[in-house]
């Protein structure tokens, strides 16, 4: 089990005295096969002067109430969801300003569906033809040969056929133009998987970072009888929390500035805002009763990792106690569903794309204020960028409306571990970056030493089990997401990155480390791959139930880094399942 001391030693956890990790080995990385800049990166790009950068406004914490998205319980054969502009007020002291949202809200409406009850969704693009955030035509897929505004929705973690998965080249525009890969219309979601917290967001090639930042994200919850029987907090005591950092101008509009002195005219290597928003509100507060609540948490940020703790605080939200004096996070679920047993933690390390399903018991804290705070370095875990600490404030000030009869059982659901001995193949997949020698600023990142348009090299057989070993040679922690499948984490092992970059051979410098306590055992679809470590996961590459195949059929999905700025600049690859 990896403890906090180990995490600090590895550079994986925020804390006093954390030494920033350098971005590492850019000189060697430039020599790796496939690390050249593609022709698309040589196009002309708009001048930075088109997008003047102003400093973001500073906002007061804990003065805006939390907003909870409305819920859709699909009953019609097809549910229409409209992506459209709207005016949104993110904070008490800001005027409403333009954003883009599913059904005109940020986050979009929360889907609640039942396991085994399929749903069809017609995703309708009603957005303008011009983007309101700065484009960079030197990024592959964001060139002047495609429409400025295009969308395709991906339900993150859903087991679906490729045409409904939100393939990045399956975009559509408001006037009906389509990308080079056919998408289903409407998209079909079988919901043939365990109860879990999923989320949906835009996935258009080259501009995912901009479309998600503009507001295109929402929750998608699957329920099943096993969850129903657990007597967990429910109804008004079950609340989704989408955490996303943003920066705002004084007029309330979103600020996503071009990178000053970057390696591209506009693109920045990671975006970090100065305000943490929860459900579209900047540093909100929530009044709660002295009882148990269930929170379905998604890190929907572009690039920010969070190291979250809960602290006693005064009425203004200023912490005045230690985590041990606050209720623990009782984690009951992860990306792919419920854990076999709860895990009690006083901190959560939360990467973009991950989900935590937690219970907090406020019953012993009547009248108290509890601040959820963040101190994760940005970028994680090197630091150097702004780190807003305030996330949200829980005010245990509502009177108890009735006896709390909910519970958190010590046993949640059965769990079947995947046996590595049954894996038919282990793939070693390099995570590399080419950085500017003068200061280490990233120019491009690659997966498996290949660009998006290179021939597909990952081709598991349908129904087979494989081990994917992500060898992170960079100075960043990359959250890697596989579409379609849920996997289990096997271990992490330090290796000699310099030797690997020069020879392609893995030379290990330490013994394998077991998964973190809330990764073992657990079903995951997004995993933190730490700098200088090989992170091993095991997955069975099953197609959706009922898929009819013939030998040689191919089904195309993607895997990528979920730092959206990295994903948009080549840290994404297609893979195919072969029948």
């Amino acid at each position: 089990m990896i403890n906090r001391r180990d995490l600090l030693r590895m550079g994986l956890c925020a804390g006093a005295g954390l030494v920033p990790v350098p971005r590492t080995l850019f000189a060697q990385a430039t020599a790796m096969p496939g690390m050249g800049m593609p022709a698309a990166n040589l196009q002309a790009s708009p001048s930075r002067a088109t997008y003047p950068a102003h400093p973001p406004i500073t906002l007061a914490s804990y003065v805006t109430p939390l907003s909870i998205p409305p819920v859709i319980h699909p009953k019609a054969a097809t549910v229409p969801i409209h992506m459209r502009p709207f005016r949104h007020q993110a904070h008490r002291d800001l005027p409403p300003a333009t954003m883009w949202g599913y059904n005109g809200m940020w986050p979009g409406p929360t889907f609640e569906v039942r396991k085994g009850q399929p749903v069809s969704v017609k995703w309708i693009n009603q957005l303008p033809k011009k983007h309101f955030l700065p484009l960079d035509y030197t990024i592959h897929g964001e060139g002047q040969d495609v429409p400025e505004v295009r969308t395709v929705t991906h339900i993150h973690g859903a087991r679906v056929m490729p045409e409904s998965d939100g393939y990045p080249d399956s975009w559509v525009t408001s006037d009906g133009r389509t990308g080079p890969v056919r998408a289903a219309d409407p998209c079909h979601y079988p919901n043939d998987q365990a109860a879990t917290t999923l989320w949906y967001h835009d996935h258009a090639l080259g501009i995912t970072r901009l479309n998600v930042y503009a507001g295109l994200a929402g929750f998608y919850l699957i329920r099943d009888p096993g969850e129903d029987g657990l007597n967990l907090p429910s109804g008004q005591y079950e609340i989704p929390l989408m955490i996303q950092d943003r920066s705002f101008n004084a007029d309330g509009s979103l600020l996503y500035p071009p990178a000053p002195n970057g390696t591209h005219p506009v693109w920045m290597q990671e975006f970090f805002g100065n305000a943490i928003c929860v459900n579209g509100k900047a540093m909100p507060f929530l009044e709660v009763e002295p009882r148990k609540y269930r929170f379905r948490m998604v890190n929907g940020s572009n690039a920010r990792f969070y190291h979250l703790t809960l602290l006693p605080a005064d009425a203004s939200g200023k912490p005045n106690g230690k985590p041990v004096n606050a209720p623990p996070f009782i984690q009951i679920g992860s990306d792919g569903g419920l854990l076999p047993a709860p895990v009690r933690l006083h901190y959560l390390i939360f990467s973009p794309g991950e989900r935590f399903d937690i219970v907090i018991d406020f019953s012993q804290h009547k009248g108290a204020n509890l601040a959820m705070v963040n101190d994760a370095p940005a970028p994680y875990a090197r630091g150097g960028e702004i780190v807003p600490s305030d996330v949200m404030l829980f005010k245990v000030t509502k009177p108890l409306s009735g006896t709390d009869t909910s519970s958190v059982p010590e046993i949640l659901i059965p769990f079947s571990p995947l046996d590595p001995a049954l894996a038919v193949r282990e793939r070693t997949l390099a995570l590399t970056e080419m950085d500017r020698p003068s200061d280490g600023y990233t120019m491009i990142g690659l997966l498996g030493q290949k660009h998006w348009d290179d021939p597909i090299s990952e081709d598991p057989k349908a129904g087979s089990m494989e081990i994917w070993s992500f060898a992170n040679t960079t100075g960043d922690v990359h959250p890697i997401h596989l579409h379609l499948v849920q996997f289990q984490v096997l271990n992490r092992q330090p290796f000699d990155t310099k030797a690997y970059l020069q020879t392609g051979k893995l030379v290990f410098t330490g013994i394998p480390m077991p998964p973190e306590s809330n990764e073992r055992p657990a079903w995951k679809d997004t995993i933190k791959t730490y700098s200088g470590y090989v992170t091993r996961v095991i997955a069975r590459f099953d197609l959706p139930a009922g898929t009819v195949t013939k030998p040689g059929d191919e089904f195309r999905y993607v895997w990528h880094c979920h730092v959206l700025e990295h994903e948009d600049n080549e840290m994404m690859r297609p893979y195919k399942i072969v029948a």
Side-chain angles (χ1 to χ4, degrees), residues 326-503:
F329 299 118
I330 306 172
Q331 186 176 345
I332 59 171
S334 188
D335 303 340
L338 294 167
L339 302 176
V343 179
R344 287 165 172 81
L345 302 162
H346 277 289
Y347 66 92
L348 298 172
I349 303 175
F350 204 4
S351 73
E354 283 190 297
R355 282 89 70 209
F356 288 133
D357 190 348
I358 67 169
V359 172
I360 300 177
D361 186 352
F362 299 105
S363 62
Q364 303 303 308
H365 300 271
K366 183 178 179 180
N369 297 286
L370 297 160
M372 186 187 292
V373 300
N374 164 60
D375 66 354
Y380 195 73
R382 295 177 296 109
E385 301 287 345
I386 185 170
V387 178
S389 61
D390 298 345
V391 180
M392 66 179 294
L393 182 67
F394 298 99
K395 299 181 176 183
V396 194
T397 52
K398 291 181 72 174
L400 192 63
S401 60
T403 303
D404 179 9
T405 58
S406 68
S407 60
V408 180
E410 290 304 310
I411 301 296
L412 293 168
I413 57 164
F415 189 90
S416 300
L418 300 178
D419 184 355
L422 300 179
V424 299
R425 180 170 182 174
E426 178 173 355
R427 301 177 189 266
T428 300
L429 301 161
L431 280 57
T432 53
E433 289 175 349
M434 185 166 69
D435 298 323
R436 183 165 57 192
S438 61
D439 59 4
Y441 199 103
T442 298
M443 291 183 275
I444 195 171
L446 296 181
L447 301 176
Q449 303 173 40
K450 292 180 175 64
H451 297 277
W452 169 252
D453 281 340
D454 286 338
I456 294 176
S457 47
E458 286 69 59
D459 55 353
K461 291 282 290 183
S464 71
M465 198 180 300
E466 292 193 355
I467 295 170
W468 286 26
S469 296
F470 305 111
N472 186 350
T473 72
T474 79
D476 286 319
V477 184
H478 296 280
I480 297 297
H481 170 48
L482 273 63
H483 285 216
L484 177 68
V485 298
Q486 297 288 333
F487 51 74
Q488 295 172 14
V489 185
L490 294 176
N491 57 50
R492 295 180 175 90
Q493 189 169 6
F495 72 111
D496 185 330
T497 56
K498 185 175 181 179
Y500 180 68
L501 288 168
Q502 291 176 340
T503 69

Side-chain angles (χ1 to χ4, degrees), residues 1-2 489-492 511-517 519-520:
M1 176 177 173
I2 301 177
V489 185
L490 294 176
N491 57 50
R492 295 180 175 90
I511 62 172
M513 302 178 69
E516 296 168 25
S517 60
E519 294 175 338
R520 177 192 56 183

Side-chain angles (χ1 to χ4, degrees), residues 81 83 102 111 121-125 153 155 185 187 189 200:
I81 298 291
M83 290 167 271
Y102 292 102
F111 281 82
V121 180
K122 187 173 180 64
W123 305 101
I124 303 167
N125 184 338
T153 300
I155 297 185
D185 185 22
C187 291
Y189 304 103
Y200 61 97

